[in-house]
Amino acid sequence: MSAARKWLKRLLLLFVIALVAFGASLYLLYFRRTPLPAAPPHALVAPSIATLPGLSACWLETGKAFSDFSFGSTAGSILVRHPAGDLLIDTGNSSHFEDEIRGYPFGTWFKLRFLAGQLKPAVPLSEMLRRVKEDQTRLRWAILSHAHLDHSGGLMDLPHVPVLLSQEELQFAADPAVQAKGYVIAAHVQRFPPLGKPTLRFDPVPYETFDESADLYKDGSVVAVPLHGHTPGSVGIFVNLSPSRRFFYVGDAVDDERGFEERVGKSLVLRDSDNDEALANQVVTRISDLHEKLPELAIIPAHGRSAYKKFFPSGPLSCVATQ
């Protein structure tokens, strides 16, 4: 056997070993999930939902990764058009993402760049709003599922918009230790309400399987509920376009649809982003329980691109209305 053929065989063997190692790492870091116990029994309080004329929701995708695969990720916002003023649910990454993470130590920078950075904007949120012909003066609020940089960063690309956040989330975002980890960017916090002046408060009014709720427009069209765990003030948002056309946006309470369909915890690579892992796992089981009770309800994880595609079958920049 010639020396060239020996080297070729060695290179091929190394390639196969590298491929197997990559596959094993991907499985352990992302695909392997821990099964969770069922949620304790909880009553279902079905809301009364009316069809409100003029209500619609639009998918504004500013970033995506692995979009050709079933596990593809997305980031951006959902625009809810409402007769009383429009709402943004999350805002994705800032178009200044690279500059915002540049000052962190290498380890933190590397983690941010190769996790949240995979979803940095290809097009800023402001441009996405123009593409769906949104009059930005109609934006009444932005509600954040939580304060992490890949959910709040798009605020930096918009004119001032009042932000709805609870006191728990404001305290979390203002914590220097949280900002030092890179989960929250100090510049983003400047767009939040002042600490001690929360703009989102929950009433002791049961909603579906949750004991507290906040009816944002006081008409049942958009209702927020607490999802403490991923962060102390994480929230989920129900948008009710009609009695039969509804979705529940759950932020990062689950990685993707597998989380609630199979009742499994976060992937290893994303698990350390949970502020309280035990509480976060309890939230997963609550969402899974709701899915079992209401299989017709669309549940949309913030980064679960496949879930968006089911509710918005025409893809990004499309809108779904009441009818």
Side-chain angles (χ1 to χ4, degrees), residues 307-320:
Y308 282 83
K309 290 168 69 176
K310 290 175 184 176
F311 193 82
F312 298 95
S314 296
L317 295 179
S318 67
C319 301
V320 175

Side-chain angles (χ1 to χ4, degrees), residues 42-89:
H42 196 286
L44 178 69
V45 180
S48 176
I49 298 169
T51 299
L52 180 67
L55 191 66
S56 65
C58 306
W59 176 15
L60 308 180
E61 183 178 59
T62 57
K64 61 183 179 180
F66 305 106
S67 58
D68 293 331
F69 299 90
S70 60
F71 55 87
S73 295
T74 186
S77 181
I78 295 178
L79 169 68
V80 178
R81 286 183 165 133
H82 191 286
D86 299 344
L87 172 73
L88 290 173
I89 300 176

Side-chain angles (χ1 to χ4, degrees), residues 87-109:
L87 172 73
L88 290 173
I89 300 176
D90 276 350
T91 64
N93 271 327
S94 166
S95 64
H96 310 286
F97 177 84
E98 298 283 6
D99 294 330
E100 290 172 347
I101 67 170
R102 185 167 289 130
Y104 284 100
F106 178 78
T108 303
W109 173 89

Side-chain angles (χ1 to χ4, degrees), residues 13-293:
L13 179 61
L14 287 172
F15 174 77
V16 170
I17 292 171
L19 194 62
V20 170
F22 175 77
S25 299
L26 190 62
Y27 171 76
L28 291 171
L29 291 173
Y30 185 77
F31 289 105
R32 185 177 182 273
R33 312 282 180 87
T34 304
L36 299 174
H42 196 286
L44 178 69
V45 180
S48 176
I49 298 169
T51 299
L52 180 67
L55 191 66
S56 65
C58 306
W59 176 15
L60 308 180
E61 183 178 59
T62 57
K64 61 183 179 180
F66 305 106
S67 58
D68 293 331
F69 299 90
S70 60
F71 55 87
S73 295
T74 186
S77 181
I78 295 178
L79 169 68
V80 178
R81 286 183 165 133
H82 191 286
D86 299 344
L87 172 73
L88 290 173
I89 300 176
D90 276 350
T91 64
N93 271 327
S94 166
S95 64
H96 310 286
F97 177 84
E98 298 283 6
D99 294 330
E100 290 172 347
I101 67 170
R102 185 167 289 130
Y104 284 100
F106 178 78
T108 303
W109 173 89
F110 184 86
K111 179 177 67 174
L112 295 174
R113 175 63 183 81
F114 290 97
L115 289 177
Q118 296 298 312
L119 298 170
K120 64 182 180 180
V123 179
L125 181 57
S126 56
E127 174 59 24
M128 288 297 184
L129 289 167
R130 282 191 285 272
R131 292 184 184 184
V132 294
K133 297 180 171 54
E134 169 68 6
D135 178 357
Q136 294 188 39
T137 64
R138 282 193 50 79
L139 290 176
R140 179 171 176 176
W141 299 304
I143 184 169
L144 303 183
S145 63
H146 59 294
H148 282 174
L149 76 166
D150 54 331
H151 298 259
S152 62
L155 293 170
M156 308 303 290
D157 296 316
L158 298 174
H160 177 74
V161 179
V163 179
L164 301 180
L165 284 171
S166 68
Q167 177 62 18
E168 295 96 330
E169 197 67 2
L170 290 174
Q171 289 177 327
F172 171 78
D175 186 342
V178 172
Q179 294 183 19
K181 292 178 180 178
Y183 293 136
V184 176
I185 302 296
H188 299 180
V189 178
Q190 299 304 310
R191 295 294 188 101
F192 296 172
L195 187 61
K197 296 184 177 181
T199 46
L200 180 64
R201 297 178 176 84
F202 294 100
D203 301 314
V205 177
Y207 191 91
E208 302 292 11
T209 55
F210 299 92
D211 297 322
E212 296 179 298
S213 61
D215 187 341
L216 300 190
Y217 290 95
K218 309 302 180 186
D219 59 10
S221 61
V222 183
V223 178
V225 295
L227 294 179
H228 310 315
H230 180 60
T231 65
S234 285
V235 301
I237 302 101
F238 289 88
V239 176
N240 304 310
L241 300 177
S242 73
S244 61
R245 187 172 284 181
R246 313 172 59 210
F247 68 83
F248 182 31
Y249 182 89
V250 297
D252 285 356
V254 293
D255 289 353
D256 49 29
E257 291 174 291
R258 261 191 79 194
F260 61 84
E261 289 177 346
E262 300 178 21
R263 202 173 70 231
V264 292
K266 293 278 179 66
S267 60
L268 182 62
V269 71
L270 296 175
R271 197 176 300 163
D272 73 338
S273 68
D274 284 338
N275 181 73
D276 184 326
E277 185 178 343
L279 193 55
N281 284 340
Q282 290 176 27
V283 168
V284 174
T285 65
R286 292 283 300 277
I287 295 172
S288 181
D289 177 60
L290 181 63
H291 174 61
E292 291 179 2
K293 288 182 167 72

